[in-house]
Amino acid sequence: MKQSRFNAKAKLLSLAAIGAISIATLVPVQSASAAQELRFMSWAWQEPHIAVLKNLVAQWNKANPSIPVKLELVDEEGLYTQLSTGFLAGTAPDVIDTEAAAALQYAKSGYLYNLAPDFRYLQKEINPGIWTTASYKAKLFGAPWMIEQYIPVANVDLFKKLGVAVPKPTDTLTWDDLRALAKKVTTADMSGIGVGLGSAAKLTMVMGPTVGAKYFTGVTTGAKARLIQGDAELQIVKTINDMIQVDKSMSSKYVSTSPQTDFLNGKLPIWFTKNSLANTIDLQSDIKYQYLPMISGSGGAAQAPTAGIYAVSAQSKQTKNSVKFVKFLMEAQNLAQTNIAVGGSIPGTASGQAAVKALKKDANWQFTMSQGANLTTAPFLFVPQWEAWKGSFQNPQAKLLYTGKITLDEYKKAITNGWNGLR
Amino acid sequence: MKTLRVIGTVFFTIFFGLPLFWLVSTSLKQELQIGSSDLIWFPTKPDWANYSEAVNRSGILVAAWNSLWISTVSAFITTAVTAPAAYLVAQSKGWFSKVATGWVLSSQVFPSILTVFPLFLIYVKIGLFNTFTGAIILYVIFNLPFSLWLQRGFVKNVPTEILEAGRIDGASGLKVLRYVVLPLILPGSIVVFIYAFINTWNNFLVATVFLQGNEKQTLTTQLARFIGTEGLGLFGPFAAATVLSVIPTLLLFIVLQRKFTANLVAGAVKS
């Protein structure tokens, strides 16, 4: 009796296994992409952004039935894994929605199509610094569709409650002015200002030009790039550290938590953040906010951000059609829709910025969209090993500094040694 | 001793239970409560909106189905292949058994990432890239070494007398395997199945490299899309989707664990 039950079980198990193997191997082998279909890969993750991209693709497919486009959504890590493997094996998507700093490695290897000849008509509309940031050896490897700047935002009601006047966006605000203002709005139970310190290195580098920081020499000579850590290069780090350690106007907790929630909960008077988060305030909170002036220093107010770009694979069998599709995405109205959906980033073209201004009459939006000229090239993006150095030394050491575990001198020594070790 | 055991159990429960509790709690919080500097253990008014947002996010249900399909088939094949292989390795005397076991286990030393790029290039050449078949083959290969080692232990526990009795009765090696060994190592097969299923269900690397395009996504790659750049993300829906993604593996474990325990007891009585 028992033997027959075992037999039945063994048969069942064998049949199930054989069935599974058969079914699995019967699944038809499919090619990486259907013929003639343009693959458009994006790391869009916010629902409004995804909806706009889907809508744009649908519009394109309706108007261009002979050049169908398929939108593929991936996460940030997945995007670069799929690009790295895809370029090696010839399976990369045709059009890529990515970021200039990260795309540079692929441009250097010749994987990205030179868009410069096709986008000359837009060059006068794109900030020269951003055009350079999206270029390698005079070849434009991506059409810049999105730019983010750092800007302080004030909670108007909290300022009013504390009896402090909110500077107008058109005023001038230096780093020292910001520090003094943060001190003024600091109370016993509330920090005056919050900066996301988890990736503070990016802010430091992007805002470097405002204090005349160079960070590297010999950038164009590639591997011989040398790190500079003089007074100008350390000024922003020192200012942030002084706000935490000396003035107590900023909490070091922002090393591990975002100030966003405190600001949106009405517990933080100043949030120093990216303009793309403007929509977050509108959507998630009913607090009254106002942008403070762009920070300016001895080097002016220009910032050196990276840019969101649309790139075309040089391996694409349909480069002309891919370029045509990117031109469609770069149309003013389409850029406006996309940048509004992302949360208020600045479109890469002047006509795109004007289109956002026409759609968003609010004073804050009008102000940020007028900052498209306040941009410059980010030379550090071209330094080999910069990303590795930032991740392994600049960010971790900054966190140690801001939490009082090391001094500014120790910070300087650690990041310099780190750079020398990487070279 | 008893006190130590109680302390150990409490510590173990907290160590593993707290992150799960926090995950469930986060899935029921509103966006502004999630990153709040005020410690909120559990929201006073649970907000289920994160769950509807997670389920309604495009592609998540397709990804769940893909994960279920790939994990089930991979686990079945792994279990089916492991049992006879483990029997062969366990029964072989001398150098073959040692070399085979050593070779299989040494393959575990290398991180999967090392083999991914060469495998990717091979897959593209032979047309297995971006197919479920290709992914299933990889999962089976990745699951096999540990499964074999696991199953080998169960086979070794089968009393030699029973195997010899089968042979004396005139059964061939295959018949002994089919009618004697397989029923006796059923608990081992269930353990292997659970291991292979969970390992495949949770795998990110193979899914992100070998399966591309919206319709081929698995749950792990879809979950990663809730996280944006520079520490930003949709953390509420992410937590909700993660809670939902744990349910199938939890159910599988609960159902099969009962079966597993029952078979273990049956084995004990027989021996």
Side-chain angles (χ1 to χ4, degrees), chain B residues 160-178:
Chain B
T160 324
E161 294 80 5
I162 296 180
L163 301 176
E164 282 169 358
R167 286 195 195 105
I168 289 165
D169 287 345
S172 64
L174 270 179
K175 278 193 172 171
V176 171
L177 169 70
R178 187 180 159 191

Side-chain angles (χ1 to χ4, degrees), chain A residues 196-206 386 390 394-395 398 411:
Chain A
L197 300 173
S199 55
K202 194 169 180 184
L203 177 141
T204 308
M205 303 296 276
V206 168
W386 173 68
K390 183 185 78 169
Q394 201 183 11
N395 260 331
Y411 164 82

Side-chain angles (χ1 to χ4, degrees), chain A residues 7 11 17 23-24 27 29-30 45 47 50 54 70-73 82 85 89 202 253 261-262 267 274, chain B residues 32 36-38 57-58 69 73 80 120 127 131 133 178-179 183 208-209 212 214-216 225 228 230 233:
Chain A
N7 286 348
K11 273 179 191 164
I23 292 165
V27 175
V29 174
Q30 292 169 21
W45 59 278
E47 286 298 344
I50 293 170
K54 279 185 176 171
K70 187 183 177 195
L71 175 66
E72 293 182 7
L73 298 166
Q82 294 191 14
T85 50
K202 194 169 180 184
K253 73 178 181 183
T261 316
D262 281 346
K267 292 176 179 174
K274 291 186 290 188
Chain B
L32 289 183
S36 173
S37 45
D38 302 325
R57 189 169 171 97
S58 56
W69 162 252
V73 176
F120 179 79
T131 64
T133 310
R178 187 180 159 191
Y179 295 112
T208 200
V209 174
Q212 300 182 7
N214 302 336
E215 69 284 355
K216 297 273 170 57
R225 285 193 45 236
E230 294 176 41

Side-chain angles (χ1 to χ4, degrees), chain A residues 2-3 6-7 9-11 13-14 16-18 20-21 23-33 39 41 43-47 50 54 70-79 81-82 84-86 88-89 91 148 150 199 202 253 257-258 260-262 264-265 267 274 277 284-285, chain B residues 31-38 53 56-58 69 72-73 76-77 79-81 116-117 120-121 124 126-133 136 178-180 182-184 186 189 204-205 207-209 211-217 221-222 224-230 232-234 259 263 270:
Chain A
K2 271 184 184 175
Q3 182 63 40
F6 286 143
N7 286 348
K9 276 183 187 172
K11 273 179 191 164
L13 192 68
S14 313
I18 291 164
I21 294 167
I23 292 165
T25 49
L26 280 174
V27 175
V29 174
Q30 292 169 21
S31 59
S33 59
R39 288 172 62 211
M41 192 174 275
W43 65 358
W45 59 278
Q46 297 144 301
E47 286 298 344
I50 293 170
K54 279 185 176 171
K70 187 183 177 195
L71 175 66
E72 293 182 7
L73 298 166
V74 287
D75 63 291
E76 186 184 9
E77 194 182 328
L79 175 71
T81 307
Q82 294 191 14
S84 299
T85 50
L88 271 179
T91 60
E148 292 177 304
Y150 286 96
S199 55
K202 194 169 180 184
K253 73 178 181 183
T257 60
S258 168
Q260 181 178 4
T261 316
D262 281 346
L264 297 178
N265 278 326
K267 292 176 179 174
K274 291 186 290 188
L277 291 168
Q284 296 188 8
S285 172
Chain B
E31 201 64 32
L32 289 183
Q33 292 176 315
I34 291 171
S36 173
S37 45
D38 302 325
E53 205 174 315
N56 290 330
R57 189 169 171 97
S58 56
W69 162 252
T72 308
V73 176
F76 261 119
I77 297 176
T79 312
V81 172
V116 160
F117 274 82
F120 179 79
L121 295 174
V124 171
I126 62 175
L128 279 177
F129 164 66
N130 215 18
T131 64
F132 288 148
T133 310
I136 288 167
R178 187 180 159 191
Y179 295 112
V180 181
L182 284 183
L184 287 176
L186 193 59
S189 299
F204 181 77
L205 186 67
T208 200
V209 174
L211 294 174
Q212 300 182 7
N214 302 336
E215 69 284 355
K216 297 273 170 57
Q217 298 293 298
T221 54
Q222 277 293 317
R225 285 193 45 236
F226 282 100
I227 304 301
T229 53
E230 294 176 41
L232 298 170
L234 305 167
K259 185 107 179 140
N263 279 302
K270 269 199 290 285

Side-chain angles (χ1 to χ4, degrees), chain A residues 226-289:
Chain A
R226 198 166 61 84
L227 180 73
I228 311 169
Q229 284 297 307
D231 289 346
E233 284 72 27
L234 288 169
Q235 191 183 326
I236 297 174
V237 175
K238 186 178 180 307
T239 305
I240 292 173
N241 195 44
D242 284 345
M243 288 198 277
I244 298 169
Q245 312 294 348
V246 181
D247 303 343
K248 311 285 181 198
S249 58
M250 179 152 54
S251 168
S252 63
K253 73 178 181 183
Y254 296 132
V255 159
S256 53
T257 60
S258 168
Q260 181 178 4
T261 316
D262 281 346
F263 186 82
L264 297 178
N265 278 326
K267 292 176 179 174
L268 188 68
I270 305 170
W271 179 24
F272 195 9
T273 184
K274 291 186 290 188
N275 49 19
S276 59
L277 291 168
N279 232 9
T280 316
I281 306 173
D282 284 337
L283 290 172
Q284 296 188 8
S285 172
D286 52 5
I287 62 165
K288 203 176 162 196
Y289 70 98

